[in-house]
Amino acid sequence: MFQLKIYPIFILFLLIFLNTSLQAKQLNFYNWSDYIAPDTIKNFQQKTGINVTYDVFDSNEVLDSKLMAGNTGFDVVMPTDSFLARQLHAHIYMPLDKDKLPNYEHLDPKFLKMMEKFDPKNLYAIPYMWQSTGIGFDVDKVKQILGENVSLDSWDLLFNEENIKKLSQCGVAFLDAPSEIFPTVLNYLGKDPNSKQANDYYEAANLLTKIRPYITYFHSSKYINDLADGDICVAIGWSGDFFQAARAAKNAGQKKSIHYLVPKEGAIITFDALAIPNGAKNSEEAYQFLNYLLEPKVIANITNHIFYPNANKDAKPYLDNDVITNPAIYPPEDVLARLFPIKEQSPKIDRLMVRLWTKVLSGF
Ligand code: SPD
């Protein structure tokens, strides 16, 4: 009698157990657009049996507002350094258990030290790739418009009204990223790019408002294809994206010379980092994924595809020769010396930038 009663309960527990253990393992990854090799996710899924839901964004501001609202459902996300610092103050990430990341040893201590300014003791985030925010352009079109002898090494190309007015004929794109455009303009104006003075931001906004009529659009990913297709001829954007544009143009059989430069006045350098949000449902899978991305061959394959330099010291032997020797991808010392980081800003200045940005975009 007793045995008859316990039997169905046992079956029920067995079914529940089997159902949970047979459910496919899952990982939800939220990454920058155009920021991984086409086979990375597929290879990881094949290797581990973990199903990856992959989604992309093209703006720190968007990622930040989702993370701050909470319960994103993401297991791994990719904030940029100064945004990471701000988010760490809001305690939204899990501290990393390095024992679960045997490949962590491949990271270059030089980059870990740089990241410590944003993530003290490297407790929460893993540096992925880094970049500068400079100017990319179609050399022939720009020369056609501004003349053969135009000097192509200054922010004057875009911040001087005469120049941008002429370039507007062939299309000019700016990143839709106040956190990057304001420091870039401040630096051009000879001010501290991380200024804490409200007046400096008003001055930068004045310059932007003056040239606003000549900016075709503000967007942070569209410029890659538009430059390749000839819909624009110049953009402020992130270094690796312009090599992706050049590849897209070449693959489409177009003879285009797309160049990227860090202007002589200097440009922003930023690091993007991987982190696990608090409350991530699949943190074990997240660790497996992070550890996978830390494999030298895996990260080298990504760099070879997206043209951004990574933070892995053991990946170098696997980098394509034309990538590692390209000074616009791996900049030489004199260019590195012109790069400056963006620091975490006070909430007051952050709010001011957002307010002024809305005005600039609307053209008033
Ligand atoms: N396709 C864009 C990839 C670059 C992402 N990094 C943005 C960093 C912001 N400074």
Side-chain angles (χ1 to χ4, degrees):
M1 191 65 174
F2 173 73
Q3 267 185 346
L4 274 181
K5 270 189 189 161
I6 200 120
Y7 193 62
I9 296 173
F10 172 73
I11 300 271
L12 184 70
F13 274 113
L14 187 69
L15 284 175
I16 292 172
F17 171 76
L18 282 177
N19 185 40
T20 347
S21 53
L22 289 179
Q23 252 172 22
K25 290 184 183 171
Q26 176 67 29
L27 174 80
N28 301 314
F29 177 32
Y30 197 37
N31 187 17
W32 285 91
S33 54
D34 309 297
Y35 215 35
I36 201 157
D39 56 355
T40 311
I41 301 288
K42 190 183 74 195
N43 292 345
F44 173 72
Q45 295 189 143
Q46 271 167 6
K47 185 173 172 173
T48 61
I50 296 171
N51 179 56
V52 180
T53 300
Y54 184 64
D55 201 358
V56 295
F57 58 92
D58 66 4
S59 144
N60 267 307
E61 285 80 357
V62 167
L63 171 66
D64 191 63
S65 62
K66 287 197 182 185
L67 289 170
M68 290 306 184
N71 281 332
T72 56
F74 300 127
D75 302 305
V76 175
V77 295
M78 180 92 75
T80 301
D81 46 27
S82 58
F83 279 80
L84 169 74
R86 176 202 314 187
Q87 291 154 3
L88 284 175
H89 289 138
H91 307 289
I92 63 161
Y93 293 117
M94 282 185 193
L96 293 172
D97 179 350
K98 307 273 172 55
D99 290 342
K100 294 182 178 166
L101 297 167
N103 288 329
Y104 194 86
E105 63 176 25
H106 297 300
L107 285 171
D108 191 330
K110 180 175 78 191
F111 293 121
L112 286 172
K113 202 165 170 32
M114 287 181 180
M115 275 303 294
E116 277 202 76
K117 289 187 193 120
F118 307 96
D119 173 20
K121 298 192 182 155
N122 302 118
L123 289 181
Y124 293 89
I126 296 177
Y128 178 69
M129 303 276 165
W130 57 278
Q131 63 246 272
S132 54
T133 306
I135 308 178
F137 52 95
D138 180 325
V139 182
D140 296 334
K141 283 196 178 169
V142 168
K143 285 192 167 172
Q144 221 171 31
I145 290 178
L146 295 181
E148 252 327 289
N149 298 324
V150 58
S151 74
L152 293 170
D153 65 346
S154 166
W155 283 109
D156 274 336
L157 198 62
L158 292 172
F159 296 153
N160 172 301
E161 198 177 348
E162 292 294 296
N163 288 340
I164 192 170
K165 188 175 181 176
K166 290 182 189 150
L167 289 172
S168 66
Q169 295 168 49
C170 59
V172 178
F174 273 34
L175 290 173
D176 185 5
S179 54
E180 306 224 7
I181 300 294
F182 276 110
T184 301
V185 174
L186 289 174
N187 177 65
Y188 170 75
L189 292 173
K191 300 186 180 296
D192 176 358
N194 290 293
S195 171
K196 296 189 183 338
Q197 307 300 319
N199 276 347
D200 290 344
Y201 291 84
Y202 284 104
E203 239 181 88
N206 279 346
L207 185 151
L208 288 166
T209 308
K210 208 158 60 173
I211 60 173
R212 171 67 187 93
Y214 314 114
I215 300 168
T216 316
Y217 63 75
F218 293 82
H219 197 279
S220 301
S221 52
K222 206 165 110 62
Y223 62 91
I224 302 179
N225 285 337
D226 284 354
L227 205 48
D229 293 343
D231 293 333
I232 57 166
C233 62
V234 56
I236 299 185
W238 295 306
S239 43
D241 286 1
F242 294 104
F243 299 95
Q244 294 181 33
R247 177 183 54 205
K250 192 171 165 207
N251 289 346
Q254 296 186 41
K255 278 201 168 160
K256 251 187 214 317
S257 181
I258 295 173
H259 280 202
Y260 171 76
L261 70 90
V262 169
K264 63 180 180 201
E265 299 89 349
I268 293 169
I269 179 172
T270 41
F271 291 80
D272 296 316
L274 295 148
I276 308 177
N278 274 332
K281 290 217 169 55
N282 307 297
S283 58
E284 287 312 309
E285 289 76 6
Y287 276 111
Q288 284 190 55
F289 185 58
L290 296 183
N291 199 47
Y292 180 71
L293 291 179
L294 286 166
E295 279 181 28
K297 265 189 183 172
V298 170
I299 198 77
N301 176 47
I302 300 176
T303 288
N304 287 336
H305 184 81
I306 64 173
F307 307 120
Y308 283 93
N310 63 65
N312 190 311
K313 67 176 165 42
D314 299 323
K316 293 205 174 80
Y318 307 107
L319 291 174
D320 290 342
N321 197 44
D322 54 345
V323 168
I324 196 158
T325 57
N326 185 334
I329 301 176
Y330 279 92
E333 286 304 320
D334 63 313
V335 177
L336 287 176
R338 301 206 296 274
L339 301 180
F340 54 86
I342 314 180
K343 297 185 185 143
E344 185 190 358
Q345 267 294 1
S346 67
K348 195 178 126 207
I349 294 291
D350 273 338
R351 280 196 300 273
L352 178 63
M353 274 196 269
V354 170
R355 220 174 44 242
L356 292 172
W357 190 245
T358 313
K359 280 186 132 183
V360 169
L361 260 55
S362 68
F364 297 109

